[in-house]
Amino acid sequence: MYRPRHLSLLKSAAATAFISAVCCFAYAETPEAPQTLLHDKVQQLIRQKVEDGEFASVVIGITDGQRHQFAGFSAKGQAVPDKNSIYEIGSLTKTITALILAKQIHQGRIPAAQSVTELAPECMPPATSGLHISWLDLATHTSGLPRLPENLQPKNMANPYADYTQKHLNTYLNTIKSLPEKGKYAYSNLGYGMLGCALAAVSGKPFEQLIRDEISKPFGMPSTGIQLSADLRKRMQGGHDTSGKPVSGWDFDAMAAAGAVRSDATDMLRYLEVLMAAARSDQPSAEKLVQTAQRDTTMPKTRIALGWHLSNMHGRELVWHNGMTGGYASFAGFSSDGKLGVIVLTNTARSPESLGIAALFPQQIPERKAMRLSNEALQQYTGRYALTPAFIISVVPRNNSLTIQATGQPAFRAAVIAEDSFEIAEVGAVITFQRDANGVISQLTLQQNGQRIPGKKLAD
């Protein structure tokens, strides 16, 4: 979603300290089942991150398709969230939008490769432009459209989409004359705003009603929607920015299909279970279609399907997406074989991807040690490391930690977690340095989103 900074080292679809202590709450939805789905190491990891002030609260849910387990974490003195606590899910909304499209495609009502203009001209550039943007183009971020419309000029940066109306979108659509990057993957909130507009036009229903009729009601997700009832609002968790300052939620108008949904862990885990059951089935379905209609992306070992990304992580294919608004963030992922899935919700605008991936791959959680290095000791890591010729990470010691900055991105603080290993909490990344035969640092490895990318140290 719209953010003032691009918070990632590896550019993915998708953000300190404020309170110092934590309480933990966990339970299994099936009491008689052993609580083995959510590894103790994962709970310890989340507990530590809340203690360190990285998140105001976290709710995580994990399922193998039959058993469920949820855990909630919050700062000391704060109410502990549970599986019914409601959060903004941000761009996870796009997967819901894409599933509504998949249902229309599966039922034969919308041809995936058809120009959207043929069925919903009011939501697309003028037919006179001659541009062919298909439904599949929009759903896979390959339409060539920019990330955001150029006329998005929020009156209130704390709620950037609230005043962007259909009139604004229509005005912008009339300015689009060409799409020079069409066919290339480029994550686009604009594209999904247009997709939601088109789906509503074809169905004759407002987009919010489409969510209720196609997803919330049939899947049994009563706490999922855009406008919440008074009872649901009581369960809404207050948002926080990355510094821990309380912030208001985001509202959407014309761009609702890109990020407007609010939900709880119960509903979102049920949503994943429907998709996981389809993945295990041999029968064609709309739910199966969302991960089988794939196109290439610019990210390593990653393809894009209908709303979902598919990446090879630790030897398994993971279907995933993340989300972030001004005070919330989310992550959802499941193995492509439908055997394990996880949802993570937080009311801090900081990526929880690393927590979700840790839950799916607990054996990959690095051992952490209580360490503190002097600036003098940190000097050995100083340098520039090339992951590719055009993607270089610069490392500089500062204030008993490392400052890490990748090409074209802001600088981040990396705290020591083990010998030669440092964590960048804001983006869920770990950087581990390697030494040559003489014990001198010669390269690093960036670990993020289940990927490990080495970078050799450049000569001064």
Side-chain angles (χ1 to χ4, degrees):
M1 297 308 301
Y2 185 93
R3 298 289 295 150
R5 299 167 63 195
H6 183 52
L7 298 181
S8 66
L9 285 178
L10 294 178
K11 294 186 178 181
S12 67
T16 292
F18 35 95
I19 306 178
S20 59
V22 63
C23 297
C24 173
F25 170 67
Y27 59 92
E29 186 156 292
T30 357
E32 68 277 8
Q35 296 187 18
T36 56
L37 292 178
L38 191 60
H39 199 284
D40 286 345
K41 290 172 65 177
V42 178
Q43 298 196 51
Q44 292 168 8
L45 174 65
I46 301 174
R47 185 180 300 113
Q48 185 63 54
K49 286 183 176 292
V50 178
E51 283 183 355
D52 292 344
E54 294 179 26
F55 300 98
S57 75
V58 172
V59 175
I60 184 169
I62 189 167
T63 179
D64 61 7
Q66 297 182 344
R67 292 177 298 154
H68 319 263
Q69 190 174 346
F70 296 87
F73 305 80
S74 69
K76 185 178 181 180
Q78 302 297 314
V80 179
D82 61 24
K83 63 179 183 176
N84 298 316
S85 299
I86 295 178
Y87 297 78
E88 293 182 358
I89 68 170
S91 285
L92 274 181
T93 301
K94 293 182 177 69
T95 69
I96 292 174
T97 303
L99 181 53
I100 294 172
L101 171 63
K103 286 189 168 189
Q104 298 294 312
I105 293 172
H106 181 68
Q107 294 166 6
R109 297 176 181 174
I110 291 178
Q114 182 186 45
S115 173
V116 182
T117 303
E118 295 183 29
L119 293 179
E122 62 271 45
C123 301
M124 300 301 293
T128 54
S129 67
L131 299 178
H132 179 96
I133 301 175
S134 73
W135 299 89
L136 189 59
D137 292 336
L138 292 178
T140 58
H141 299 287
T142 54
S143 64
L145 292 162
R147 186 181 186 90
L148 295 167
E150 293 178 3
N151 65 339
L152 176 63
Q153 299 177 341
K155 293 179 181 177
N156 179 7
M157 288 298 294
N159 199 359
Y161 293 93
D163 57 356
Y164 193 80
T165 66
Q166 189 64 43
K167 182 178 179 180
H168 290 99
L169 179 58
N170 292 341
T171 297
Y172 177 71
L173 294 177
N174 285 324
T175 70
I176 300 175
K177 304 301 179 185
S178 64
L179 298 169
E181 298 298 308
K182 188 176 185 304
K184 296 181 181 180
Y185 172 85
Y187 192 84
S188 178
N189 289 321
L190 168 62
Y192 262 80
M194 293 165 59
L195 179 56
C197 172
L199 289 169
V202 170
S203 68
K205 300 178 181 179
F207 182 72
E208 183 169 14
Q209 186 178 342
L210 271 181
I211 293 177
R212 289 196 300 269
D213 293 350
E214 299 291 339
I215 306 296
S216 301
K217 290 181 180 178
F219 288 10
M221 297 166 59
S223 301
T224 299
I226 296 175
Q227 300 297 327
L228 301 181
S229 67
D231 287 342
L232 292 180
R233 285 198 299 272
K234 293 177 183 177
R235 289 158 42 195
M236 186 79 190
Q237 302 297 295
H240 300 79
D241 65 16
T242 53
S243 70
K245 178 183 176 182
V247 295
S248 60
W250 278 6
D251 301 301
F252 291 76
D253 193 314
M255 300 286 283
V261 170
R262 300 171 172 95
S263 189
D264 63 16
T266 299
D267 280 11
M268 292 307 296
L269 206 63
R270 184 171 293 133
Y271 172 62
L272 290 188
E273 286 177 333
V274 173
L275 300 178
M276 290 164 61
R280 297 192 299 268
S281 172
D282 294 330
Q283 299 301 313
S285 65
E287 291 76 15
K288 198 176 188 71
L289 182 61
V290 297
Q291 68 168 319
T292 55
Q294 300 179 21
R295 290 184 174 179
D296 291 328
T297 74
T298 55
M299 293 182 285
K301 300 180 181 179
T302 298
R303 289 172 63 78
I304 178 72
L306 297 187
W308 292 92
H309 295 84
L310 295 93
S311 298
N312 190 315
M313 297 186 184
H314 305 304
R316 296 174 68 183
E317 186 174 62
L318 186 68
V319 185
W320 64 275
H321 207 291
N322 53 18
M324 187 181 293
T325 61
Y328 302 82
S330 60
F331 175 82
F334 61 95
S335 58
S336 62
D337 59 10
K339 293 183 178 179
L340 192 63
V342 68
I343 178 71
V344 188
L345 303 174
T346 178
N347 58 336
T348 300
R350 190 185 300 278
S351 172
E353 289 178 28
S354 62
L355 308 181
I357 292 171
L360 295 172
F361 304 98
Q363 69 279 8
Q364 299 295 329
I365 299 175
E367 295 296 330
R368 295 166 184 266
K369 301 177 182 179
M371 299 183 67
R372 183 178 177 86
L373 298 179
S374 67
N375 283 331
E376 185 175 286
L378 291 168
Q379 288 293 335
Q380 63 185 314
Y381 304 108
T382 301
R384 299 169 67 246
Y385 301 79
L387 279 68
T388 71
F391 191 77
I392 296 172
I393 290 179
S394 298
V395 179
V396 178
R398 184 171 297 160
N399 298 329
N400 300 113
S401 61
L402 294 180
T403 295
I404 308 291
Q405 186 165 20
T407 302
Q409 296 184 27
F412 297 102
R413 176 182 179 272
V416 61
I417 58 172
E419 186 175 356
D420 292 338
S421 290
F422 297 78
E423 181 181 41
I424 307 174
E426 285 182 285
V427 295
V430 172
I431 287 181
T432 303
F433 293 88
Q434 287 81 42
R435 301 175 182 270
D436 61 19
N438 297 316
V440 178
I441 300 295
S442 59
Q443 72 173 36
L444 61 71
T445 300
L446 170 64
Q447 303 173 62
Q448 189 180 22
N449 297 338
Q451 301 176 50
R452 299 173 60 90
I453 303 179
K456 290 187 177 181
K457 187 175 183 180
L458 300 176
D460 294 334

